[in-house]
Amino acid sequence: MQLLPLFAVFGLALAETGINGWLRYAALPSSVSWPSIPKHIVVLNTTKTSPVYTAGQELQRGIQSILGQGCHISNDKHEESIVVGTLDAYVAAYGKLNESVELKGDGYWLSTGSKTVILGQNERGALYGAFEYLSMLAQGHFSTVSYASSPDAPIRWVNQWDNLDGSIERGFGGASIFFANGTVVNDLTRVSEYARLLASVGINAVVVNNVNANATLLSPHNIDGLGRIADTMRPYGVQVGIALYFASPSSGVQGQANLTTFDPLDPSVVTWWSNVTEQIYERVPDMAGYLVKANSEGQPGPLTYNRTLAEGANLFAKALQPHGGIVMFRAFVYNQLNESDWKADRANAAVDFFKPLDGQFDDNVVVQIKYGPIDFQVREPASPLFANLYHTNTAIELQVSQEYLGQQTHLVYLPPLWDTILGFDMRVDNQTSLVHDIISGRTFDRPLGGYAAVVNVGTNQTWLGSHLSMANFYAYGRLAWNPAEDTTKIHEEWTRLTFGLDPQLVNTITNMALESWPAYENYSGNLGVQTLTDILYTHFGPNPQSQDNNGWGQWTRADHNTIGMDRTVSNGTGYAGTYPPEVAAIYENISTTPDNLLLWFHHVPYTQQLKSGKTVIQHFYDAHYSGAETAQTFATQWQTLASKIDTQRFNEQLCRLKYQAGHSLVWRDAICNFYHNVSGIADELNRVGNHPWRIEAESMTLKGYKQYTVSPFETASNYHAVVTSDNITTGSVSTTLHFPSGIYDIGVNFYDLYGGESHFEMLINNKGVATWRGDSEDYLGHTPSIYLDGHSARRITFEGVAVKEGDVFGIVGTPDGIEPAPLDYMVFLLKGVLD
Ligand SMILES: *[C@@H]1O[C@H](CO)[C@@H](O)[C@H](O)[C@H]1NC(C)=O
Ligand SMILES: *[C@@H]1O[C@H](CO)[C@@H](O)[C@H](O)[C@H]1NC(C)=O
Ligand SMILES: *[C@@H]1O[C@H](CO)[C@@H](O)[C@H](O)[C@H]1NC(C)=O
Ligand SMILES: *[C@@H]1O[C@H](CO)[C@@H](O)[C@H](O)[C@H]1NC(C)=O
Ligand SMILES: *[C@@H]1O[C@H](CO)[C@@H](O)[C@H](O)[C@H]1NC(C)=O
Ligand SMILES: *[C@@H]1O[C@H](CO)[C@@H](O)[C@H](O)[C@H]1NC(C)=O
Ligand SMILES: *[C@@H]1O[C@H](CO)[C@@H](O)[C@H](O)[C@H]1NC(C)=O
Ligand SMILES: *[C@@H]1O[C@H](CO)[C@@H](O)[C@H](O)[C@H]1NC(C)=O
Ligand SMILES: *[C@@H]1O[C@H](CO)[C@@H](O)[C@H](O)[C@H]1NC(C)=O
Ligand SMILES: *[C@@H]1O[C@H](CO)[C@@H](O)[C@H](O)[C@H]1NC(C)=O
Ligand SMILES: *[C@@H]1O[C@H](CO)[C@@H](O)[C@H](O)[C@H]1NC(C)=O
Ligand SMILES: *[C@@H]1O[C@H](CO)[C@@H](O)[C@H](O)[C@H]1NC(C)=O
């Protein structure tokens, strides 16, 4: 037996689950040398619940782990020490600082050297500074620095869409870490670990329950549970917020009064909310505030009683005001619309509802606005509402959870998308007015504002289900702190902390990340047409026609000749005119609208020529082929890092990247087939509908299998698949191969439904060459489908199989549960061929 080199043994042995995220504090490689680091940590607050105390513990743990150096924690003064505390506590103990330090709320001062000083404007600021210092050490940065850093905005929250039964709406990383069985879980270990991750990137509050809220959260028992959550997160400086069900007063909440109304102006309702708010603050004195989704998607709200949204928001604002809490009131309010009305437009809803209310919201209300006017699409213009509220606090709502964006089974690094919004210049009053300056409060001189992101971590050890998706979480915190920070640098930093300092590793993973959003946009929805996921079902796989002929208003208005929403003032919905004049003028005209938003603003023929010179339809085809091709490279790029990443994380991510490679082809073909079918315009390069290396399952010899017409049609090659005749009996498909003899990668496109785990065996000349199961529901974590469609369609590839002309090729499928071993096609790929 050959002995493995020592490092390889280590590499394999140290399996990592991902639970530490970017806070692994991995030992620095021996190639890095460093100056001496103080061995004393002076902690200027010894109360165990203080973030300053936590900072001391974290510094000790981090320095031990990264540098292998033990540190002594005390509050005695030492010459060579790391001092951590608030600026005020430092001045009280040591006298004035040499430098004049200006810190905004939650900011910190970091000065390194033989004496290292980490001072916060407040206690959590000191903890942020400690995490920053540890991040430097973990990345091998030992230069002496002296600087102040303060967050760009006071509100840096995350939203969890957790239900009290433990499920999570749009959660793709397991069940809730907060709730189960209608109440708060007993073991809050994961909540503490989550708070640590949040604090390390400057997040200061978590709304712990779903915006589609449940009144039972307000029972005395559950209020006590919220208290336990708050106690758990407080040492990390993370506050608890909750989402409210507007009709709670009349919902019969156990242990609370039950009214017959929830009218926000009814005195009994006002009293009810101030009473409940009082109870919450008794248990959670530092509760951050409430998040409210009202009169949206079936939720009750003030409009139910003909009251304004401002009256609804102010109801909570007044209850919270004595306690210092704030109301995050979501702007996601819209009505069902009729597509036969050319001027109807859901994108207008937020401005229609909220602009007339500007100035009517109390000072502790913040209107929380999704980044675009529809709903977390792969590309949207910045919501015009940001530019229409001069006298109202605003915050942006981003989504780390990849609803519409691959549900964490596709690699999509989102900060470059967020950048298109945060850095967008609204030209309010013809002046520079970047969205991030509006939400920080600078542009309109507002006291409050900032950031909220839907994160939806779960009980899975990876938090989000995918190791690489954690970069979105990390970057969200960094950008909420400083939106001008470079998103490539953020990713490199995250990679060093998460996987190691090796430059090849950092460059490869960052390169994959930077290619990922453009690739996803290319193989999903182009030119501002929206993502084209199934909006009526799981928001995951392709289903372009689901956008139209319904009341949800995410329309494309695609017909045989034309596509796109006419949002002009001159002939369309008028949406373009809701931007300030300079921006409105750009979007009003096709000639000045950027290609990537053309179909958002204009209804054009498929033959419309883009600035690139291509037609709309040819751009669709080319982008889909190019995006899917890029997605094929992610797994290959990742595989070059096999020796540099621990086995568990390497394999788990590889599995997802291979899935993405296959599913990007499902996307490519579905969208190309759909628009080819609807427009009748051929692909100039003759790729669409032309698949020389495929064998359709329905054209094979079927035994115990029957043909099945897939819906939507475009999610099956040649519209058809095959399924077993019943859901008990094994069947088979077979054919004689006419491809030239050679070594092939054999891809099998099949459907992997939720509710069964069919077994498949691939045979060549009756000899088994591979087996697999349709069992992705056990590990992929995306919203599963019970149908043969674009969500369940996937490809599995077997590499390097020797095949001879004339071989008999077959697959034996054994159904299970509701999954009838469905097969779409097989594809035989020589090196360099992609079909
Ligand atoms: C120490 O920490 C506790 C808990 O956070 C806090 O109440 C107290 O004010 C802090 N003391 C000082 C001097 O900052
Ligand atoms: C402050 O200035 C004094 C005198 O110049 C110097 O001895 C000391 O090291 C300085 N302290 C820090 C923390 O830089
Ligand atoms: C929820 O209740 C079920 C059934 O009573 C129990 O098996 C399970 O352990 C509970 N879960 C939690 C997290 O308490
Ligand atoms: C709230 O939760 C309870 C108990 O789980 C459930 O019966 C009720 O339907 C939920 N209400 C809403 C509005 O979701
Ligand atoms: C609470 O009030 C609502 C509305 O008036 C009523 O439908 C419900 O039955 C009441 N619930 C309880 C537990 O009294
Ligand atoms: C809330 O109302 C209940 C009666 O429903 C009363 O017993 C309790 O004292 C009130 N609590 C507060 C904090 O006002
Ligand atoms: C709602 O208010 C409007 C305007 O004040 C009024 O015209 C309308 O009749 C009211 N509707 C109801 C149901 O009270
Ligand atoms: C939409 O409007 C058209 C034309 O006015 C009408 O025929 C159709 O019934 C409406 N559809 C719905 C769902 O209201
Ligand atoms: C103007 O709007 C009508 C619908 O009212 C539409 O049919 C037509 O195509 C639009 N014209 C242009 C030039 O976009
Ligand atoms: C702002 O710009 C628009 C469009 O360029 C122009 O029409 C308008 O006069 C300008 N307003 C001011 C106050 O300069
Ligand atoms: C948790 O995520 C990992 C990595 O994606 C996956 O392998 C594992 O099956 C997941 N576990 C559950 C219970 O979903
Ligand atoms: C077959 O499928 C049906 C529903 O389609 C289901 O009720 C039944 O339990 C399945 N049979 C088996 C053996 O799983």
Side-chain angles (χ1 to χ4, degrees):
M1 196 187 105
Q2 204 188 339
L3 282 177
L4 289 168
L6 197 59
F7 68 87
V9 174
F10 266 83
L12 294 174
L14 293 175
E16 293 194 46
T17 62
I19 194 150
N20 292 316
W22 53 85
L23 295 177
R24 293 158 60 246
Y25 297 148
L28 286 178
S30 50
S31 56
V32 179
S33 60
W34 55 87
S36 93
I37 299 291
K39 292 194 167 55
H40 295 281
I41 300 172
V42 179
V43 177
L44 299 177
N45 191 327
T46 51
T47 311
K48 290 215 162 123
T49 55
S50 170
V52 171
Y53 179 84
T54 308
Q57 300 292 308
E58 199 69 32
L59 287 165
Q60 187 182 42
R61 168 181 175 179
I63 291 169
Q64 176 68 55
S65 183
I66 298 164
L67 307 177
Q69 173 183 309
C71 287
H72 181 69
I73 298 188
S74 71
N75 46 5
D76 308 338
K77 289 188 190 172
H78 284 272
E79 264 316 299
E80 302 219 330
S81 57
I82 301 170
V83 183
V84 62
T86 62
L87 183 54
D88 288 349
Y90 183 87
V91 171
Y94 291 82
K96 261 187 155 33
L97 259 190
N98 288 359
E99 299 80 356
S100 85
V101 173
E102 296 243 351
L103 297 178
K104 290 198 291 178
D106 294 350
Y108 61 83
W109 164 256
L110 175 61
S111 173
T112 64
S114 60
K115 180 176 178 187
T116 291
V117 179
I118 306 172
L119 304 179
Q121 180 270 344
N122 53 16
E123 293 176 60
R124 71 159 76 95
L127 177 59
Y128 297 161
F131 275 120
E132 189 61 25
Y133 179 57
L134 288 168
S135 169
M136 284 176 59
L137 301 186
Q139 294 180 67
H141 296 167
F142 292 95
S143 45
T144 54
V145 298
S146 268
Y147 64 90
S149 179
S150 291
D152 202 58
I155 297 172
R156 301 178 310 282
W157 291 20
V158 301
N159 296 174
Q160 285 283 138
W161 286 356
D162 296 31
N163 299 313
L164 272 65
D165 66 4
S167 62
I168 304 179
E169 184 168 333
R170 316 293 172 199
F172 314 114
S176 175
I177 62 170
F178 294 100
F179 304 104
N181 294 339
T183 191
V184 175
V185 296
N186 290 323
D187 181 354
L188 294 173
T189 310
R190 290 296 298 275
V191 171
S192 170
E193 290 168 348
Y194 187 30
R196 178 171 172 254
L197 286 171
L198 291 166
S200 74
V201 289
I203 304 296
N204 55 14
V206 188
V207 174
V208 293
N209 65 305
N210 193 352
V211 284
N212 292 316
N214 193 306
T216 61
L217 182 67
L218 301 176
S219 72
H221 177 71
N222 282 337
I223 289 174
D224 184 61
L226 291 171
R228 288 191 294 111
I229 293 175
D231 294 345
T232 305
M233 300 200 299
R234 190 170 293 112
Y236 290 97
V238 180
Q239 291 170 258
V240 170
I242 58 173
L244 297 180
Y245 182 57
F246 201 90
S248 296
S250 59
S251 299
V253 180
Q254 202 181 17
Q256 304 293 0
N258 189 21
L259 309 181
T260 53
T261 175
F262 57 91
D263 177 353
L265 298 192
D266 187 295
S268 70
V269 172
V270 173
T271 306
W272 194 94
W273 281 112
S274 57
N275 177 303
V276 167
T277 303
E278 190 95 5
Q279 291 176 44
I280 296 172
Y281 277 94
E282 270 172 28
R283 183 62 183 86
V284 189
D286 55 354
M287 208 261 300
Y290 295 146
L291 171 62
V292 182
K293 171 177 180 178
N295 292 115
S296 170
E297 301 181 330
Q299 290 289 332
L303 304 180
T304 314
Y305 289 94
N306 213 14
R307 309 301 187 189
T308 69
L309 295 169
E311 285 167 329
N314 293 343
L315 165 71
F316 305 112
K318 289 188 168 54
L320 289 163
Q321 198 277 334
H323 310 282
I326 64 178
V327 185
M328 303 291 281
F329 198 82
R330 286 178 103 225
F332 190 56
V333 180
Y334 65 94
N335 295 324
Q336 291 278 310
L337 298 170
N338 188 329
E339 193 169 356
S340 65
D341 176 1
W342 187 257
K343 296 197 185 282
D345 190 357
R346 171 169 156 190
N348 281 334
V351 170
D352 285 350
F353 277 106
F354 284 85
K355 186 182 166 82
L357 301 174
D358 190 24
Q360 295 180 30
F361 293 96
D362 285 1
D363 276 349
N364 60 335
V365 174
V366 179
V367 174
Q368 180 170 317
I369 305 169
K370 292 198 188 204
Y371 62 78
I374 296 288
D375 193 15
F376 301 135
Q377 298 300 295
V378 69
R379 187 183 291 273
E380 300 193 34
S383 171
L385 187 56
F386 292 117
N388 279 284
L389 299 176
Y390 287 48
H391 309 289
T392 304
N393 306 317
T394 57
I396 195 169
E397 183 174 304
L398 302 172
Q399 203 180 34
V400 166
S401 195
Q402 292 168 233
E403 178 187 7
Y404 297 105
L405 293 163
Q407 302 193 348
Q408 280 107 277
T409 65
H410 291 235
L411 168 63
V412 186
Y413 181 55
L414 295 168
L417 157 62
W418 300 338
D419 249 6
T420 65
I421 309 289
L422 293 172
F424 185 76
D425 187 354
M426 286 286 186
R427 308 299 302 162
V428 175
D429 299 331
N430 297 359
Q431 308 278 317
T432 303
S433 33
L434 307 184
V435 169
H436 70 70
D437 287 326
I438 294 174
I439 59 180
S440 73
R442 268 189 299 278
T443 303
F444 299 125
D445 196 19
R446 300 297 312 169
L448 272 178
Y451 297 76
V454 182
V455 175
N456 291 348
V457 300
T459 51
N460 189 290
Q461 302 273 299
T462 63
W463 297 98
L464 290 171
S466 153
H467 300 291
L468 292 186
S469 292
M470 290 291 275
N472 291 323
F473 176 5
Y474 179 85
Y476 165 65
R478 301 299 289 196
L479 289 172
W481 188 275
N482 175 12
E485 212 181 326
D486 180 78
T487 56
T488 304
K489 284 221 179 75
I490 293 175
H491 197 279
E492 289 168 346
E493 190 177 286
W494 171 82
T495 310
R496 281 186 212 105
L497 298 171
T498 303
F499 292 107
L501 308 188
D502 184 316
Q504 189 210 335
L505 189 144
V506 174
N507 293 339
T508 304
I509 300 178
T510 300
N511 182 56
M512 289 162 59
L514 295 180
E515 289 177 349
S516 63
W517 171 55
Y520 188 84
E521 181 180 33
N522 276 343
Y523 63 72
S524 61
N526 312 135
L527 305 175
V529 77
Q530 303 172 93
T531 312
L532 303 178
T533 57
D534 189 332
I535 66 153
L536 304 177
Y537 190 30
T538 77
H539 300 188
F540 178 61
N543 188 350
Q545 74 269 50
S546 72
Q547 323 286 302
D548 290 290
N549 303 312
N550 60 57
W552 295 100
Q554 292 194 23
W555 305 322
T556 68
R557 291 194 186 278
D559 62 21
H560 295 308
N561 302 313
T562 53
I563 184 169
M565 283 292 289
D566 184 345
R567 291 190 158 111
T568 61
V569 174
S570 58
N571 188 55
T573 72
Y575 167 86
T578 64
Y579 289 91
E582 291 182 48
V583 175
I586 289 169
Y587 290 148
E588 180 69 18
N589 294 302
I590 291 185
S591 62
T592 47
T593 304
D595 280 353
N596 60 28
L597 285 172
L598 179 70
L599 302 180
W600 189 281
F601 285 101
H602 301 282
H603 183 73
V604 300
Y606 292 108
T607 52
Q608 173 77 30
Q609 201 174 49
L610 302 172
K611 292 176 185 60
S612 68
K614 288 180 185 177
T615 61
V616 165
I617 190 73
Q618 193 58 39
H619 179 95
F620 270 31
Y621 297 150
D622 291 351
H624 280 80
Y625 273 80
S626 138
E629 200 176 323
T630 303
Q632 307 307 305
T633 70
F634 295 154
T636 339
Q637 291 186 62
W638 183 253
Q639 278 169 312
T640 65
L641 306 174
S643 66
K644 300 176 192 286
I645 297 173
D646 57 280
T647 338
Q648 180 171 345
R649 291 189 301 164
F650 178 80
N651 286 336
E652 286 174 350
Q653 192 61 50
L654 181 60
C655 164
R656 279 170 190 255
L657 295 171
K658 285 185 168 174
Y659 172 82
Q660 178 179 14
H663 201 233
S664 70
L665 296 171
V666 171
W667 264 104
R668 179 195 78 182
D669 291 348
I671 302 299
C672 289
N673 286 340
F674 181 79
Y675 290 104
H676 181 223
N677 183 285
V678 77
S679 72
I681 300 173
D683 167 25
E684 284 167 8
L685 299 179
N686 196 29
R687 295 159 299 189
V688 177
N690 179 21
H691 302 289
W693 300 99
R694 291 185 186 180
I695 301 172
E696 295 296 336
E698 65 273 15
S699 71
M700 297 170 82
T701 305
L702 307 183
K703 282 198 186 129
Y705 260 101
K706 62 186 180 193
Q707 179 165 314
Y708 183 92
T709 304
V710 173
S711 170
F713 71 85
E714 70 275 12
T715 59
S717 192
N718 192 35
Y719 314 158
H720 297 103
V722 299
V723 297
T724 47
S725 309
D726 58 46
N727 62 351
I728 310 166
T729 319
T730 296
S732 71
V733 302
S734 61
T735 192
T736 302
L737 295 179
H738 298 295
F739 298 121
S741 304
I743 305 290
Y744 289 84
D745 289 348
I746 303 181
V748 180
N749 276 61
F750 68 110
Y751 298 86
D752 191 345
L753 278 53
Y754 180 72
E757 302 196 343
S758 308
H759 181 271
F760 299 91
E761 179 170 26
M762 184 190 288
L763 305 167
I764 296 180
N765 299 328
N766 282 321
K767 192 165 159 279
V769 291
T771 65
W772 72 99
R773 303 186 83 91
D775 60 358
S776 67
E777 57 266 46
D778 290 347
Y779 54 87
L780 278 183
H782 68 76
T783 319
S785 166
I786 57 168
Y787 307 108
L788 278 69
D789 57 21
H791 321 298
S792 60
R794 51 177 297 209
R795 173 181 289 193
I796 188 165
T797 302
F798 300 96
E799 289 172 18
V801 183
V803 164
K804 288 195 301 300
E805 198 169 346
D807 278 353
V808 176
F809 177 86
I811 290 178
V812 173
T814 304
D816 179 53
I818 65 158
E819 187 177 270
L823 292 166
D824 184 5
Y825 66 91
M826 330 308 103
V827 60
F828 289 73
L829 302 171
L830 289 166
K831 235 202 177 22
V833 177
L834 182 62
D835 183 7

